[in-house]
Amino acid sequence: MPEKEGALKRIAGNIEGYSYGEDSVPRSTVSIGDLTNLKISAGFTDEDERYLRIAGEVLADQTEKIVAHWRAGIIASIPHLARHSRTTEGQALPDYLAKSNLRFQQWILDTCLRPYDQDWIDYQQEIGLRHTSLKKNKVDGVRSTPCVPLPDVIAFVAVMNETIKPYLSARGHSAADVERMHFAWCKSIQMQLALWIGPYGQAGDRNPERTSQ
Amino acid sequence: MPEKEGALKRIAGNIEGYSYGEDSVPRSTVSIGDLTNLKISAGFTDEDERYLRIAGEVLADQTEKIVAHWRAGIIASIPHLARHSRTTEGQALPDYLAKSNLRFQQWILDTCLRPYDQDWIDYQQEIGLRHTSLKKNKVDGVRSTPCVPLPDVIAFVAVMNETIKPYLSARGHSAADVERMHFAWCKSIQMQLALWIGPYGQAGDRNPERTSQ
């Protein structure tokens, strides 16, 4: 583990395919200056950053439950979303799902606890790429759907935002503090979404008008 | 006013440039079936639809205040957003702003009160187009910025979602009901965003990686 990472920042010692901050992650053309503007557009302030840190502490030991809620509890019963973790013939890929779930867990903590610096920007691009035909399946060497259509990614954000809230209140914070944590979370996800669309443009498979393909 | 529109659905008898349901609005290739899938991806249910109707009643006489809050209270003091309602030299275009504000007000009610049918899908495409170089400025015959960069649109959704909430509680509904109204609102906006990206692809000016251009 690189020295700059704190103990709280990893949900497991080894997360296969997780390459945050590594040289293998391509540099994004989005600069810190662009991110500053994006923060302003999203109303993301230092206070939001502070509340995200609190959220990170609250969520740190709940990430497994949250991702199980999203993946097994919701996505698994939606065929047009579940197929992205299966073979193109619809067979289960439990190993792929398990690895991707670990990264999904880590993403929750990264959202809350990482500094939003160039590494963070670069990894947003990487996350975007891994949902497009340019990089989906490649990290895990699987044969699944070529990409996750962008409209579904955008729409599913609403589900994550809604369902995360009870987990934010699980440590007895006041309703007002939970609300602040939640708005900070929502702003961050919206900024991330704004960064994920770049790779879809690169890949040319944004597939904007169809939720199925 | 076409017969199918109820009295509650318009914030003014004449809204210049507002063409919801009119033949001049191009038909979207997004079908009702696509929208059904998108609703599932966003977790948008009949209950959300019911709470949006309540939200519409709550917001109906507050739309002017809300849009003033967003436009004069927030956007006006953010140069990289405010410029989209100004000339390319940065001069005010009060007439353009006034017309666009009226449409912005109406959009709040349409979000809450319109049936999500093919007309609604088509008008989402029209709204998207009017933020791109294909149609921005054209309806009002002004010379302003060619388009609103998509990352800023995505990011500003977080601001609208946060700031709408107090207005939802202005009529004394319980905190639980306000929460349901708010989640329904957020899901709808996320679905609309998923539909707005299509026109950005058509226009080729999604400008995904920069918040300024």
Side-chain angles (χ1 to χ4, degrees):
Chain A
M1 193 187 301
E3 207 172 275
K4 63 178 173 175
E5 293 185 15
L8 237 182
K9 287 187 184 136
R10 274 186 178 260
I11 51 105
N14 181 40
I15 306 169
E16 241 177 286
Y18 177 69
S19 55
Y20 196 109
E22 293 180 9
D23 292 342
S24 62
V25 178
R27 181 73 177 256
S28 169
T29 59
V30 177
S31 69
I32 292 289
D34 294 325
L35 180 62
T36 300
N37 274 353
L38 195 61
K39 282 181 181 175
I40 293 169
S41 298
F44 186 87
T45 65
D46 291 348
E47 186 184 283
D48 291 304
E49 206 174 307
R50 217 166 55 241
Y51 275 102
L52 272 185
R53 298 286 176 272
I54 303 171
E57 286 163 34
V58 170
L59 299 177
D61 62 356
Q62 303 185 82
T63 58
E64 193 177 345
K65 215 162 31 170
I66 296 167
V67 169
H69 182 165
W70 291 339
R71 274 269 164 74
I74 299 175
I75 293 173
S77 58
I78 302 175
H80 72 266
L81 298 182
R83 68 200 171 100
H84 300 303
S85 300
R86 297 177 158 266
T87 68
T88 44
E89 290 79 28
Q91 276 150 341
L93 288 165
D95 196 53
Y96 176 42
L97 193 60
K99 288 175 186 169
S100 146
N101 280 351
L102 272 191
R103 295 193 295 265
F104 209 172
Q105 285 187 56
Q106 182 61 39
W107 169 79
I108 295 172
L109 292 195
D110 287 344
T111 294
C112 296
L113 300 173
R114 292 277 192 183
Y116 290 3
D117 54 13
Q118 192 66 49
D119 278 351
W120 185 83
I121 293 170
D122 295 345
Y123 210 61
Q124 296 313 321
Q125 175 178 263
E126 181 69 11
I127 290 171
L129 285 168
R130 290 184 185 190
H131 286 76
T132 73
S133 59
L134 291 173
K135 280 206 171 173
K136 185 173 182 291
N137 309 327
K138 301 219 170 32
V139 170
D140 303 286
V142 293
R143 205 173 44 79
S144 179
T145 57
C147 76
V148 184
L150 184 52
D152 288 322
V153 174
I154 295 175
F156 194 70
V157 157
V159 172
M160 295 194 292
N161 286 351
E162 180 173 22
T163 52
I164 196 95
K165 201 165 184 186
Y167 296 100
L168 289 170
S169 66
R171 293 291 171 270
H173 287 83
S174 71
D177 277 350
V178 169
E179 190 78 344
R180 291 305 322 151
M181 284 188 244
H182 188 246
F183 278 128
W185 167 274
C186 293
K187 288 176 199 176
S188 171
I189 307 306
Q190 216 64 15
M191 294 195 300
Q192 292 183 47
L193 204 48
L195 295 171
W196 297 341
I197 61 171
Y200 274 89
Q202 290 171 43
D205 53 14
R206 279 183 323 108
N207 191 28
E209 311 216 326
R210 301 273 163 203
T211 57
S212 55
Q213 64 172 17
Chain B
M1 189 186 303
E3 207 172 278
K4 63 178 173 175
E5 293 186 14
L8 238 181
K9 289 189 182 132
R10 273 188 179 260
I11 51 105
N14 181 39
I15 307 168
E16 242 178 284
Y18 176 69
S19 55
Y20 196 109
E22 292 179 9
D23 291 343
S24 62
V25 177
R27 180 72 178 255
S28 169
T29 59
V30 178
S31 68
I32 292 288
D34 295 325
L35 180 61
T36 299
N37 274 353
L38 195 62
K39 283 181 181 176
I40 293 169
S41 298
F44 187 87
T45 65
D46 291 348
E47 187 185 281
D48 291 303
E49 206 174 306
R50 217 166 54 240
Y51 275 102
L52 273 184
R53 297 287 175 273
I54 302 172
E57 286 163 34
V58 169
L59 300 176
D61 62 356
Q62 303 185 83
T63 58
E64 193 176 346
K65 217 164 28 170
I66 296 167
V67 169
H69 182 165
W70 290 340
R71 273 271 164 74
I74 300 174
I75 293 173
S77 58
I78 302 175
H80 72 265
L81 297 183
R83 68 199 172 100
H84 301 301
S85 301
R86 297 178 157 267
T87 69
T88 45
E89 289 79 31
Q91 278 151 340
L93 289 165
D95 196 51
Y96 175 43
L97 193 60
K99 287 175 186 168
S100 144
N101 280 351
L102 271 192
R103 294 193 295 263
F104 209 172
Q105 286 188 55
Q106 182 62 39
W107 169 79
I108 295 172
L109 293 195
D110 287 344
T111 294
C112 297
L113 299 174
R114 291 277 192 182
Y116 290 3
D117 54 14
Q118 192 65 48
D119 278 351
W120 185 84
I121 293 170
D122 295 347
Y123 210 61
Q124 297 312 322
Q125 175 178 261
E126 181 69 12
I127 291 171
L129 284 168
R130 290 183 185 191
H131 287 76
T132 73
S133 59
L134 291 174
K135 281 208 169 171
K136 185 173 181 290
N137 309 327
K138 299 216 171 36
V139 170
D140 303 286
V142 293
R143 204 174 44 79
S144 179
T145 57
C147 76
V148 184
L150 184 52
D152 288 322
V153 174
I154 295 175
F156 193 71
V157 157
V159 173
M160 295 195 292
N161 286 351
E162 179 174 22
T163 52
I164 196 96
K165 201 164 184 187
Y167 296 99
L168 289 172
S169 65
R171 294 289 172 271
H173 287 82
S174 71
D177 277 350
V178 170
E179 190 78 345
R180 290 307 322 153
M181 284 186 244
H182 188 248
F183 278 127
W185 167 274
C186 293
K187 288 176 200 175
S188 171
I189 307 306
Q190 217 63 17
M191 293 195 301
Q192 292 182 49
L193 204 48
L195 295 171
W196 297 342
I197 61 171
Y200 275 88
Q202 290 170 42
D205 55 13
R206 278 182 324 108
N207 190 27
E209 311 218 326
R210 301 272 165 202
T211 57
S212 55
Q213 62 172 16

